[in-house]
């Protein structure tokens, strides 16, 4: 089983510690691509139009400074750097040692800057989204797509892939649809199903946490995944994957 997560937009910078070692990250063969993106990001981040290019609002524009001299900044495990609703629900800190080891092996975060990182990989805080278009490199989803397809091929082979990413991050890595189940979340409101983004992020984090709590390797088929999730959300539904389209696991939350 492989679980794919998006990064958080907001990040908690490390207060101290060694800087990033590209060769220690998941898929070290991506080191040169990571260095190239980081170099272009630094160049953009010192420009007067950095906020516009990076699509960063005024309230968080100061976070762009984190992109400058990023290879000298202190690094910390990704599970500490990434924060927000999904990662609060994942609750890495509250996992048992066995669950943490499983999470380090099975959870991959697709990143606009690093391509992909494991939860235990040490990275610095940064500000960059996958839908950004960097001068010379182009749209980052397009840049990473062929590179991640190659780099993650061995890890993904024969595995059930549980995809908890948002659309922009799904574009950067497209695994075999027959092996993949995308997690969607809807809530019943006034008798109708509605998509609610806050609850969707939180629920996807819970899905990942619950899968870390399963015995052994966890679900190996879409139906096994459905059964596991129906223990917590009885109305959960599954659309089977096909050779052309990933499966859809729809978690249905009640009105409460």
């Amino acid at each position: 089983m492989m679980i794919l997560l998006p990064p958080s937009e907001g990040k908690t910078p490390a207060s101290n510690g060694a800087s990033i070692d590209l060769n220690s990250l998941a898929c070290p063969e991506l080191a040169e691509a990571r260095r190239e993106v980081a170099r272009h990001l630094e160049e953009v981040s010192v420009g007067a139009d950095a906020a516009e290019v990076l699509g960063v609002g005024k309230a968080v524009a100061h976070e762009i400074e984190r992109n400058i001299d990023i290879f000298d900044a202190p690094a910390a495990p990704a599970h500490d750097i990434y924060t927000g609703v999904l990662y609060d629900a994942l609750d890495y800190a509250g996992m048992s040692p066995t669950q943490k080891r499983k999470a380090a092996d099975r959870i991959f975060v697709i990143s606009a800057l690093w391509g992909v990182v494991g939860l235990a990989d040490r990275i610095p805080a940064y500000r960059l989204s996958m839908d950004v278009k960097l001068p010379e490199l182009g749209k980052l989803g397009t840049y990473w797509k062929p590179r991640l397809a190659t780099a993650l091929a061995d890890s993904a082979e024969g595995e059930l892939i549980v995809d908890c990413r948002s659309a922009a991050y799904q574009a950067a890595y497209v695994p075999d649809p027959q092996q993949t189940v995308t997690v969607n979340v809807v809530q019943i409101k006034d008798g109708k199903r509605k998509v609610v983004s806050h609850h969707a992020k939180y629920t996807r984090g819970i899905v990942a946490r619950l899968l870390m709590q399963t015995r052994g390797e966890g679900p190996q088929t879409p139906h096994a995944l459905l059964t596991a999730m129906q223990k917590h959300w009885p109305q959960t539904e599954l659309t089977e994957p096909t050779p052309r389209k990933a499966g859809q696991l729809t978690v249905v939350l009640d009105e409460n």
Side-chain angles (χ1 to χ4, degrees):
M1 177 181 62
M2 172 190 287
I3 301 174
L4 302 177
L5 297 182
S8 58
E9 286 296 319
K11 299 170 184 68
T12 301
S15 57
N16 53 59
S19 57
I20 190 170
D21 174 8
L22 292 181
N23 291 322
S24 71
L25 302 184
C27 304
E29 64 269 31
L30 293 173
E32 287 306 313
R34 289 163 170 153
R35 190 172 286 109
E36 181 178 40
V37 175
R39 177 171 61 83
H40 285 277
L41 178 60
E42 286 181 345
E43 291 174 358
V44 166
S45 297
V46 298
D49 61 346
E52 180 181 356
V53 174
L54 298 176
V56 176
K58 292 182 180 180
V60 292
H62 62 280
E63 295 181 3
I64 294 173
E65 295 178 7
R66 297 173 182 169
N67 299 335
I68 303 169
D69 299 324
I70 200 163
F71 286 109
D72 296 323
H79 58 74
D80 289 335
I81 297 294
Y82 294 131
T83 55
V85 173
L86 187 153
Y87 287 89
D88 286 346
L90 178 64
D91 189 22
Y92 180 90
M95 292 182 185
S96 70
T98 298
Q99 291 164 3
K100 287 180 178 179
R101 286 193 293 271
K102 185 186 289 189
D105 289 340
R106 298 292 178 177
I107 297 178
F108 293 86
V109 181
I110 303 301
S111 162
L113 177 53
W114 310 117
V116 59
V117 295
L119 277 187
D121 289 354
R122 295 177 60 83
I123 58 173
Y126 61 94
R127 187 78 194 198
L128 184 64
S129 297
M130 190 64 81
D131 54 3
V132 166
K133 184 177 181 180
L134 289 179
E136 298 184 41
L137 290 188
K139 197 168 183 178
L140 289 168
T142 303
Y143 176 89
W144 283 116
K145 186 175 181 180
R147 293 167 173 83
L148 292 180
T150 300
L152 289 170
D154 288 344
S155 296
E157 185 175 3
E159 298 289 348
L160 172 66
I161 300 170
V162 182
D163 193 347
C164 297
R165 298 173 294 165
S166 52
Y169 290 90
Q170 287 176 349
Y173 172 55
V174 183
D176 183 344
Q178 294 185 93
Q179 299 174 229
T180 306
V181 176
T182 299
V183 178
N184 300 314
V185 183
V186 297
Q187 185 172 31
I188 304 296
K189 291 201 171 207
D190 300 323
K192 297 181 180 179
R193 293 185 179 189
K194 296 185 178 181
V195 175
V196 278
S197 60
H198 177 87
H199 287 307
K201 291 179 182 178
Y202 187 81
T203 303
R204 289 183 181 117
I206 293 178
V207 167
R209 185 182 72 196
L210 290 172
L211 290 174
M212 294 304 97
Q213 294 172 350
T214 57
R215 293 184 178 181
E217 298 299 314
Q220 299 299 303
T221 66
H223 274 284
L225 174 64
L226 174 66
T227 299
M229 293 303 105
Q230 284 179 331
K231 293 177 182 178
H232 303 274
W233 300 287
Q235 298 182 75
T236 300
E237 300 170 353
L238 174 69
T239 300
E240 291 275 8
T242 71
R244 292 190 175 185
K245 190 173 182 179
Q248 304 285 322
L249 184 83
T250 301
V251 176
V252 182
L253 308 178
D254 62 30
E255 293 194 81
N256 298 317

